[in-house]
Structures are given as structure tokens and as C-alpha cells.
Amino acid sequence: MVVSHLPSGFLLILSLFAVLVSGSRRTLPIIPFDEGYTQLFGDDNLVIHKDGKKVHLSLDERTGSGFVSQDLYLHGYFSASIKLPADYTAGVVVAFYMSNGDMFEKNHDEIDFEFLGNIRGKDWRIQTNIYGNGSTNVGREERYSLWFDPSDDFHQYSILWTDSQIIFYVDNVPIREVKRTVSMGGDFPSKSMSLYATIWDGSDWATNGGKYRVNYKYAPYVTEFSDFVLHGCAVDPIEQISKCDMAQSSQAIPTGVNPLQRIKMDNFRTKYMTYSYCYDKARYKVPPSECVINHQEAERLKSFDPVTFGGGRRHRGKHHRRSRSSHAEAISI
């Protein structure tokens, strides 16, 4: 196979996919914090541990905190292990995301992992979201529960971004796949972005639409990050020119989630997805054009929330909350 005429960025993606699909994600280099990131805000609310491989961010009444990648990237695989705050975390938002909002104020791109805190006794929730070319008028949110308590220990959260698809992973399990379609046009993220991590006060919306706010009696809220992976195509911020080295691999690779991964993803989504914009009939009378409707997902969400997903009246009834042990058993993947 002759590949010398292909752009270096495309070759990097081929090489990247070959690594990922082979199941060798752990072979990607883990870098010290100072090699890939710099502090964004928060003064001494960001603390780098002595080994340089772990960072904690905290939120108190004075400020939140955050960091940002030193480079811009156009496509790649980006990952960190994260441990979230415990106990009462209503209104607290921890985010691990890509954005170019500082460069493109009115037409920015964004790929988000957002962790939405909760009142004591209720699970943390994950939200993923995607914006392209400033398409914030169409929220592409999905929300999920988890099969573990993310405040007990570190878990890996990862984003794979190519010119044709975006995949979100939790502990190497794909939980969401977004394929680029012609109908999306510029709504698919296509400009170089930085990687961010932040903790901040989202009282106005994060927990039950703002019903429960951050209670600073429980501050500081501390989240920890480690196992940093920035495996992508770095871009010159001024000239927007790729600095990728020529990739050597010419191995043929699959073009999407492989069959085993798809089983795992479908299993996760069946058990733990609690919201998807594609099925939100209160917001969209007709699903956005890129949505691929899964009728099993549609029926499950409709039974979960008939007002949002079915357009009917909400029936009052008892909701039986599954135990954490049943979560662990159900997601044996």
C-alpha cells in the first residue's frame, strides 16, 4: 500500500486507530503534567503532586480551578484518570473537554465530558456534549449514570476525535459514538482545539435545573487527575499548520467501533443512558438530522420519562433505585 502522498495528519490518525483498535490503549505514553499542561486559573487551588504525575483541583467560596493543554490539537486520543469529590456535591461541575472558544468566540467547537454533582445519597451523573462551528442552539447532550462510584477511586475518561467520528470512553468502554454526516456540515468539530480540565460552581443548572446549589459548608471540593494522555496532532496556534511527524504505520484498520466494542457500548447505553437529545420531543419535534434513532433506546427512555421522550403525561409512581452492587454486576464488560 503506497501512503507517502497522504497528509501527515491523516497518517497519524491511521496509526492512532491501529493502536486503539488493537486493544493496546495502555501503550500510549502517559506524560507528566508539566510536559503537556499549564494552569488556567485558580491560584493555589491547583496543586501538582511531588511526582508531577498527579494534580488536584479544588473549588471553594473564593474560586474554582483548572488547567489547559500547552498545545492545540487537530484530532487524536485524549485521556485522563479522574477521581471526583465525594459526599454532598450538588451544583459542582467537573469538566474534561476540548474547546477553541478562546479563538473562535462566535463559531467555536467543543467536545465535552461534564460530571454533574448531586445531593448526598444520589449518584454523580456524566454528561457528554458536542458543538461544532458555534452550533450551541442545538444541544447534543447525553447523560448517564455509572456502574461504579466515581468518587471512590480513579477511573479513565477518554475522547477519540478524528475527521469522521468522535467516541467517548469510560474505562476503555465506548459509551457514545458520533459519526460525521453530510447533514451536520460544519456542526461537526473541525477546527483545532485545546484540552481543558476544570472544577467550578454550576449552581444555576447542574443539579435538578438549579434546585440544589453548591453548599460551601462542604468545601473545599477536590477532584484529582492523573495518567495524562495527549496523543494527537499538535497545531501551530498562529499559522494553524500541523506539526505532526510523518507516521510510519500503513496498517489497514477498521473505520469504527469493532463488534466487541459495540456490544459493550450497547450494553452500557441500555442500562445507564438517562437522556439523549435525539429523543427529546419536548425540545425537537423532529430529531436533528444527524440522529440515528434506535427504537429500543427510544422505548426505554419513553418509559423512563414520558413527558420528555414521549410527549405524554407523566405518571406518578415509585421509582426503584438499583443498588451499586447490581450496577457492578450488570456492566460486566
Side-chain angles (χ1 to χ4, degrees):
M1 178 179 177
V2 179
V3 296
S4 59
H5 66 287
L6 295 176
S8 61
F10 180 75
L11 290 173
L12 179 136
I13 296 302
L14 288 182
S15 176
L16 175 64
F17 258 124
V19 171
L20 293 178
V21 175
S22 70
S24 303
R25 223 173 263 108
R26 290 185 178 86
T27 66
L28 294 176
I30 294 173
I31 61 172
F33 176 82
D34 285 339
E35 283 189 16
Y37 292 98
T38 187
Q39 183 166 2
L40 181 65
F41 71 102
D43 301 323
D44 55 0
N45 279 17
L46 183 151
V47 177
I48 304 173
H49 292 228
K50 290 182 179 180
D51 62 3
K53 297 179 181 179
K54 187 184 297 183
V55 171
H56 84 236
L57 302 177
S58 60
L59 167 68
D60 56 30
E61 288 181 281
R62 181 175 54 90
T63 183
S65 50
F67 57 84
V68 60
S69 62
Q70 297 171 13
D71 288 322
L72 289 163
Y73 294 92
L74 182 62
H75 307 142
Y77 180 82
F78 310 96
S79 181
S81 292
I82 305 171
K83 183 179 179 182
L84 298 175
D87 204 7
Y88 183 97
T89 54
V92 177
V93 178
V94 175
F96 180 66
Y97 66 105
M98 305 193 74
S99 178
N100 49 33
D102 58 335
M103 299 176 63
F104 302 97
E105 183 178 351
K106 295 182 179 180
N107 62 333
H108 82 288
D109 304 306
E110 199 166 307
I111 304 173
D112 300 335
F113 262 119
E114 293 176 307
F115 306 91
L116 310 179
N118 222 328
I119 60 176
R120 184 183 286 111
K122 299 292 185 179
D123 298 339
W124 275 86
R125 295 155 299 143
I126 289 183
Q127 177 168 288
T128 61
N129 204 352
I130 294 172
Y131 297 127
N133 204 32
S135 58
T136 55
N137 61 314
V138 180
R140 294 180 173 83
E141 305 97 330
E142 286 190 354
R143 286 191 289 273
Y144 326 89
S145 57
L146 293 168
W147 65 97
F148 55 82
D149 184 343
S151 66
D152 276 350
D153 205 349
F154 286 91
H155 292 270
Q156 185 183 25
Y157 304 91
S158 312
I159 296 168
L160 175 64
W161 172 39
T162 78
D163 62 353
S164 62
Q165 65 181 335
I166 295 165
I167 302 174
F168 296 88
Y169 298 85
V170 175
D171 286 342
N172 296 330
V173 176
I175 65 168
R176 182 181 185 185
E177 175 189 34
V178 179
K179 293 184 178 181
R180 186 175 195 165
T181 64
V182 174
S183 63
M184 289 184 75
D187 288 355
F188 187 91
S190 57
K191 300 185 291 292
S192 56
M193 293 189 275
S194 301
L195 192 72
Y196 295 84
T198 57
I199 184 170
W200 52 284
D201 186 330
S203 290
D204 290 343
W205 65 277
T207 306
N208 287 39
K211 180 179 179 181
Y212 300 101
R213 306 178 67 82
V214 173
N215 187 336
Y216 286 102
K217 178 177 72 174
Y218 300 100
Y221 296 96
V222 178
T223 182
E224 297 181 85
F225 290 76
S226 66
D227 298 336
F228 302 105
V229 175
L230 286 169
H231 192 80
C233 181
V235 173
D236 183 280
I238 304 300
E239 299 182 2
Q240 292 290 302
I241 297 174
S242 166
K243 296 184 288 186
C244 289
D245 293 328
M246 183 70 84
Q248 299 299 315
S249 174
S250 61
Q251 179 180 351
I253 48 115
T255 56
V257 176
N258 67 36
L260 178 58
Q261 290 175 320
R262 189 161 301 282
I263 291 171
K264 293 180 178 182
M265 182 168 65
D266 290 345
N267 188 31
F268 173 87
R269 294 173 67 83
T270 297
K271 294 178 171 67
Y272 301 108
M273 187 171 73
T274 60
Y275 176 87
S276 172
Y277 78 105
C278 283
Y279 305 102
D280 190 336
K281 294 187 177 181
R283 291 172 67 187
Y284 305 112
K285 301 302 181 185
V286 177
S289 60
E290 74 273 8
C291 290
V292 177
I293 300 301
N294 179 311
H295 293 292
Q296 289 182 326
E297 286 184 348
E299 287 303 311
R300 188 181 69 82
L301 291 175
K302 182 177 179 180
S303 64
F304 178 76
D305 186 344
V307 172
T308 299
F309 302 113
R313 294 184 177 180
R314 189 184 304 276
H315 297 283
R316 295 185 178 274
K318 294 182 179 180
H319 294 275
H320 299 283
R321 184 172 176 269
R322 298 169 68 189
S323 67
R324 183 78 62 187
S325 60
S326 68
H327 280 195
E329 179 275 330
I331 194 84
S332 55
I333 49 181

